[in-house]
Amino acid sequence: MRKLTYYIACSIDGFIGDPEGDATAMYAFVDEEFFGFLAAEYPETISTPGRRQMKIDDLPNKRFDTVVQGRASYELALKEGITSPYAHLRQYVASRTLGESPDPDVEIIADDLVGRVRALKAEDSELDIYLCGGADLAGQLVDEIDELVIKTYPIVQGSGMPMFASGFSITEFTLESTRTFGNGALVRNYSSKR
């Protein structure tokens, strides 16, 4: 069975963006060392336009072949005129309001999100599924998440968009690894205990 991995950036106090979801305050920490790590370990999590700009578009997918993202995350790309932000992956957008997909390579999941993700996890593939965010989507799929990869940047926001937007429940994960960087960022990998 394939894993669903919530790969996300956050502040020290657990916010993935400001109250509207803007995470640009974290971009300053993607320095040469950190970018080298991302390109080597998680190249497919960099958007197709970003990969082209950074001249790493030829890097093969290492961990994921599929991305699931929420409507709000997808709309950030649409505002830039990008209808297929992860053209190097199979792309799904969870949305009950978006309607028809603006791109033939992006499939909209309007109903039974959990069932669709379970079907994706059951597919025969050596690569996993990248859960791109955001908070509402992660909250809906918390019981399906097999792995967390949390990139924590050395800032405190005080408030903003949380990593998970859901009702209170405790879900346990096991810390598998931690990597620190010279700029104060760290990446933690957790696996689900279920």
Side-chain angles (χ1 to χ4, degrees):
M1 171 127 357
R2 304 197 311 151
K3 292 187 296 188
L4 179 65
T5 299
Y6 187 27
Y7 174 89
I8 193 71
C10 72
S11 62
I12 292 170
D13 49 348
F15 296 108
I16 63 175
D18 70 12
E20 287 77 45
D22 183 353
T24 55
M26 298 179 202
Y27 295 173
F29 296 96
V30 183
D31 61 11
E32 186 175 339
E33 179 193 17
F34 198 79
F35 176 74
F37 166 77
L38 296 177
E41 297 297 324
Y42 297 95
E44 59 270 71
T45 63
I46 301 169
S47 70
T48 300
R51 289 163 59 99
R52 289 180 184 143
Q53 181 181 6
M54 296 170 193
K55 301 191 182 347
I56 60 167
D57 199 29
D58 60 339
L59 290 177
N61 293 343
K62 186 168 183 170
R63 298 177 187 255
F64 308 114
D65 64 7
T66 304
V67 62
V68 177
Q69 62 182 317
R71 178 197 48 77
S73 296
Y74 183 55
E75 283 186 347
L76 294 174
L78 290 179
K79 287 178 184 175
E80 299 297 320
I82 301 166
T83 60
S84 181
Y86 293 96
H88 52 284
L89 299 171
R90 288 185 345 184
Q91 302 170 86
Y92 296 89
V93 173
S95 175
R96 290 182 292 275
T97 60
L98 194 56
E100 189 173 321
S101 175
D103 193 288
D105 292 328
V106 177
E107 181 179 323
I108 305 299
I109 303 173
D111 300 314
D112 191 16
L113 173 63
V114 170
R116 187 67 178 111
V117 167
R118 286 180 179 162
L120 290 170
K121 288 173 69 172
E123 292 176 347
D124 186 23
S125 175
E126 296 197 14
L127 297 175
D128 294 321
I129 304 160
Y130 165 32
L131 178 58
C132 181
D136 289 333
L137 182 62
Q140 292 176 59
L141 293 173
V142 67
D143 292 333
E144 297 301 318
I145 294 172
D146 303 293
E147 180 182 42
L148 297 171
V149 178
I150 304 171
K151 302 172 292 177
T152 304
Y153 297 109
I155 57 173
V156 171
Q157 291 186 193
S159 67
M161 185 175 288
M163 287 177 50
F164 291 90
S166 60
F168 178 80
S169 69
I170 295 175
T171 305
E172 288 191 49
F173 287 82
T174 299
L175 179 65
E176 299 293 343
S177 66
T178 302
R179 175 155 178 191
T180 59
F181 296 85
N183 64 10
L186 67 102
V187 176
R188 294 169 289 160
N189 290 64
Y190 295 89
S191 60
S192 173
K193 281 193 167 185
R194 59 169 197 286

